[in-house]
Amino acid sequence: MSKKEKDTCDIYCYDEPKVQRVQKSLEGQNIHGMVKMFKILADETRMKIAFALCEEDELCVCDVANIIGSTMATASHHLRTLNQLGLAKNRKEGKLVFYSLEDDHVRQLVQLASTHSGDLITNGK
């Protein structure tokens, strides 16, 4: 699209049945929760952790701290945030705490982001 091309409609019209269908569908959605989930994953450190948990089914806090190059306190804070939103789960084994992704949907979301992140760079966006 050249700079002179408009990216808006030249006239105002809309497909009323389509708009009403989508509006009704939106009413049943927890948009706030969806936005919160993406905001949590928009943090570079938390995305690294989520990616690491895609690579390995389970990692202890010590492993995560070393992977992301942080202190255990920082890693623990980010893991707790992922856990509180329901993106990750944990289990304690003796003095160690292990984290894993909550379910395969989170894994799919992270893998999808990984797959398409290269497109953003190559398309200049």
Side-chain angles (χ1 to χ4, degrees):
M1 179 183 299
S2 72
K3 289 183 180 182
K4 293 185 180 188
E5 285 184 59
K6 291 174 66 176
D7 59 358
T8 61
C9 298
D10 289 329
I11 60 170
Y12 180 77
C13 66
Y14 67 97
D15 184 332
E16 189 171 355
K18 186 185 292 183
V19 169
Q20 289 176 349
R21 245 187 343 269
V22 173
Q23 285 175 333
K24 185 174 172 99
S25 181
L26 273 172
E27 289 172 11
Q29 297 300 314
N30 179 2
I31 299 299
H32 177 73
M34 288 186 234
V35 168
K36 189 173 181 180
M37 179 187 67
F38 279 103
K39 282 182 179 179
I40 294 295
L41 289 174
D43 178 87
E44 187 173 338
T45 299
R46 285 190 287 271
M47 182 55 81
K48 285 179 182 178
I49 292 170
F51 184 84
L53 292 172
C54 284
E55 294 292 301
E56 293 291 331
D57 287 338
E58 188 176 66
L59 293 167
C60 80
V61 177
C62 308
D63 294 332
V64 171
N66 277 282
I67 289 168
I68 64 173
S70 75
T71 64
M72 285 197 9
T74 297
S76 183
H77 165 76
H78 288 293
L79 286 161
R80 192 175 315 109
T81 301
L82 292 169
N83 179 264
Q84 289 170 343
L85 193 63
L87 299 178
K89 59 186 176 185
N90 65 27
R91 70 175 182 85
K92 190 163 181 149
E93 187 177 302
K95 294 184 178 190
L96 300 175
V97 179
F98 291 89
Y99 279 84
S100 59
L101 293 177
E102 179 60 40
D103 60 38
D104 204 45
H105 294 103
V106 179
R107 182 179 311 281
Q108 291 170 1
L109 185 61
V110 172
Q111 289 171 337
L112 185 65
S114 175
T115 299
H116 290 283
S117 63
D119 296 344
L120 296 174
I121 294 168
T122 57
N123 290 332
K125 296 180 184 173

